[in-house]
Amino acid sequence: MRIITAIKEMQSYVKHNYRRGRKIALVPTMGYFHDGHVMLIREARKLCDRLVVSIFVNPLQFGRGEDFATYPRDMKRDLDLAKEEGTNVVFAPTADEFYPPGYSTFVDEEKISKKLCGGFRPGHFKGVTTVVAKLFNIIRPHTAVFGQKDAQQVAIIKKMVRELSYPIHIIVIQTIREKNGLACSSRNEYLTVHERKDAALLYASLQKAQDMVKAGVRDAGKIAESIRAHLASSPVIKPEYVELVNPNTLERVSQIGERTLIALAAHVGMTRLIDNIFVEP
Ligand code: AMP
């Protein structure tokens, strides 16, 4: 497995493999691998001749007062895991290599990135679309693999790929969860033992919502209310939003008529977590 930190070197690797007609897959990550990352890497491995995993804690997608400086990092362990899963290249540029001093070019989706998390993390998705577009330009993958855990990110990336005409196939992997149902996240590391136990309520509340839909409830307001009530049973959980939306446009729905995304964000103690689930009648 090669470790590449320079953009130029990454580009020559890509050129070399394009000349040989090889298919490239990319898994973009911020590292500190958990089972979710491993599933993405495993899936991508099946879909290509050359697998590139990027590890880059993207400063652009962190707001002021967010956890950029303290975001968990463990490059050695990540490299071991990536190698074990058959990765060909880990692309791990420094922030200065990726955004040299004076950097001022950005990619911004202006509609759906303003909804859900966008309302609470201004600039976050502009950072995401900019880093992903730049990775796409450097690595020119045929396929890129993302996780459904970040449902809004998936919707925005798919829209960006369509609207900027990237010839890239986007694959989405279901959310991988810990034993108690909590969605795997590098940020789970921040949780105390007690918070981690209560954080399981996030998924439990979504599952209860799914049961309500199965039982015939269609009123989005009622379902959101039930989720909020469920979360209120923990004193350490402070919900930021609970919304039922169309999975592509992220527009709110009032009734569950077709496939609907139920997405939530909540602070568990000091840690901000997100989760989501699909429901359909
Ligand atoms: P991150 O390193 O948090 O930026 O995530 C890198 C990729 O892994 C993104 O496409 C995420 O959506 C995906 N991912 C993160 N957590 C999970 C999870 N629990 N299950 C599946 N994919 C995930």
Side-chain angles (χ1 to χ4, degrees):
M1 186 178 79
R2 248 169 97 173
I3 301 159
I4 298 181
T5 57
I7 292 174
K8 279 234 158 71
E9 188 185 345
M10 191 66 241
Q11 286 171 315
S12 352
Y13 176 90
V14 168
K15 211 166 154 189
H16 174 87
N17 283 284
Y18 258 74
R19 275 206 212 101
R20 280 155 185 76
R22 290 178 184 143
K23 297 279 180 236
I24 299 175
L26 168 67
V27 180
T29 82
M30 297 207 299
Y32 208 72
F33 291 164
H34 50 64
D35 289 353
H37 293 111
V38 172
M39 288 310 287
L40 262 61
I41 294 171
R42 241 172 237 177
E43 189 57 34
R45 179 64 281 177
K46 293 188 224 153
L47 303 171
C48 66
D49 305 307
R50 289 295 178 270
L51 171 58
V52 180
V53 175
S54 62
I55 301 179
F56 179 57
V57 184
N58 175 30
L60 271 191
Q61 69 187 70
F62 290 80
R64 225 183 278 150
E66 290 189 356
D67 55 345
F68 174 68
T70 53
Y71 194 82
R73 292 160 168 92
D74 189 343
M75 189 55 92
K76 192 188 165 309
R77 181 172 171 273
D78 289 350
L79 292 175
D80 287 345
L81 280 169
K83 192 171 172 189
E84 233 169 76
E85 297 298 331
T87 303
N88 298 103
V89 174
V90 167
F91 179 52
T94 61
D96 266 2
E97 169 74 3
F98 210 75
Y99 305 120
Y103 186 93
S104 61
T105 306
F106 304 92
V107 176
D108 200 7
E109 190 289 322
E110 296 188 339
K111 253 189 204 153
I112 60 176
S113 68
K114 304 292 177 258
K115 298 175 185 292
L116 304 178
C117 290
F120 299 90
R121 302 185 71 190
H124 167 67
F125 288 115
K126 181 178 170 185
V128 170
T129 40
T130 299
V131 74
V132 172
K134 200 164 149 110
L135 288 168
F136 283 178
N137 293 338
I138 296 166
I139 296 158
R140 294 192 281 142
H142 299 82
T143 307
V145 183
F146 293 86
Q148 183 55 42
K149 202 209 99 188
D150 297 273
Q152 185 171 14
Q153 173 169 286
V154 163
I156 295 168
I157 298 292
K158 281 185 170 171
K159 197 160 194 282
M160 178 186 85
V161 161
R162 242 184 0 257
E163 294 182 348
L164 293 184
S165 309
Y166 279 109
I168 299 175
H169 193 193
I170 301 299
I171 302 286
V172 181
I173 298 298
Q174 62 166 39
T175 302
I176 307 300
R177 299 179 179 282
E178 298 186 358
K179 270 206 202 86
N180 67 0
L182 174 62
C184 295
S185 164
S186 307
R187 290 190 169 100
N188 291 350
E189 179 75 11
Y190 298 144
L191 300 169
T192 64
V193 174
H194 174 70
E195 287 168 352
R196 208 173 185 113
K197 196 162 146 260
D198 277 21
L201 286 176
L202 267 49
Y203 184 51
S205 73
L206 291 170
Q207 280 183 306
K208 183 161 173 236
Q210 197 166 47
D211 290 344
M212 287 173 80
V213 176
K214 276 188 196 145
V217 181
R218 297 288 175 264
D219 184 311
K222 246 191 203 154
I223 294 168
E225 208 175 285
S226 143
I227 293 172
R228 285 182 178 281
H230 202 133
L231 297 179
S233 64
S234 164
V236 298
I237 300 182
K238 302 275 173 275
E240 195 171 74
Y241 66 80
V242 176
E243 286 200 35
L244 287 85
V245 300
N246 173 295
N248 301 313
T249 63
L250 307 184
E251 295 285 351
R252 276 192 200 144
V253 301
S254 54
Q255 292 285 318
I256 302 198
E258 49 195 56
R259 197 157 195 252
T260 299
L261 177 74
I262 311 183
L264 61 80
H267 283 94
V268 180
M270 300 290 281
T271 307
R272 184 182 182 278
L273 299 176
I274 55 173
D275 203 348
N276 66 81
I277 201 171
F278 282 112
V279 291
E280 49 194 328

